[in-house]
Amino acid sequence: VNATGIGIGDGLRNTFNIMDSCKTTEIAARICGDLILGGYSDWYLPSKDELNKLYMSKQLIDSTITGRYWSSTQKDNKNAWQQNFSTGEQYDNAKGSKGYVRAVRTF
């Protein structure tokens, strides 16, 4: 899967690449990519940097957000990047591990 983009704007491409190569229904990228909410269907799983931007802006979004959130950025075939919304730490974790998802639209 070519889902290694880390920058702002890379999450959308990562999400589509993951969805194209993995047909599993309950993966983070598909949950976000298939989401229809508020009349919008252009949601995606944010890249590592997009997720960090959300963390840095969490006081504006929702200051009570805590926990580990998946990004669409893969480290390798077995691991992808997560962001801890309690500490701000970013780290790679096994793709089968638990974590939250936060769908975004282009920002």
Side-chain angles (χ1 to χ4, degrees):
V1 177
N2 184 14
T4 56
I6 65 171
I8 302 292
D10 288 337
L12 182 61
R13 182 176 56 246
N14 286 346
T15 299
F16 285 128
N17 288 345
I18 294 166
M19 290 173 65
D20 284 344
S21 67
C22 181
K23 301 306 177 193
T24 304
T25 57
E26 296 185 10
I27 60 172
R30 187 161 309 282
I31 290 168
C32 294
D34 287 346
L35 181 64
I36 298 172
L37 181 66
Y40 298 101
S41 60
D42 58 346
W43 298 94
Y44 63 92
L45 186 63
S47 70
K48 184 180 176 206
D49 287 356
E50 288 167 332
L51 198 57
N52 190 56
K53 183 75 167 176
L54 287 173
Y55 170 76
M56 292 186 313
S57 303
K58 83 176 199 172
Q59 296 301 324
L60 300 171
I61 299 165
D62 180 353
S63 62
T64 64
I65 300 171
T66 60
R68 298 175 305 178
Y69 286 80
W70 284 108
S71 80
S72 62
T73 306
Q74 293 183 272
K75 180 179 181 192
D76 53 40
N77 287 337
K78 296 184 181 193
N79 299 286
W81 289 96
Q82 285 187 322
Q83 174 116 21
N84 185 321
F85 269 67
S86 299
T87 65
E89 178 185 12
Q90 289 185 313
Y91 48 89
D92 62 283
N93 204 353
K95 291 180 184 178
S97 301
K98 295 197 184 244
Y100 296 109
V101 295
R102 180 165 289 268
V104 298
R105 296 176 61 232
T106 300
F107 61 93

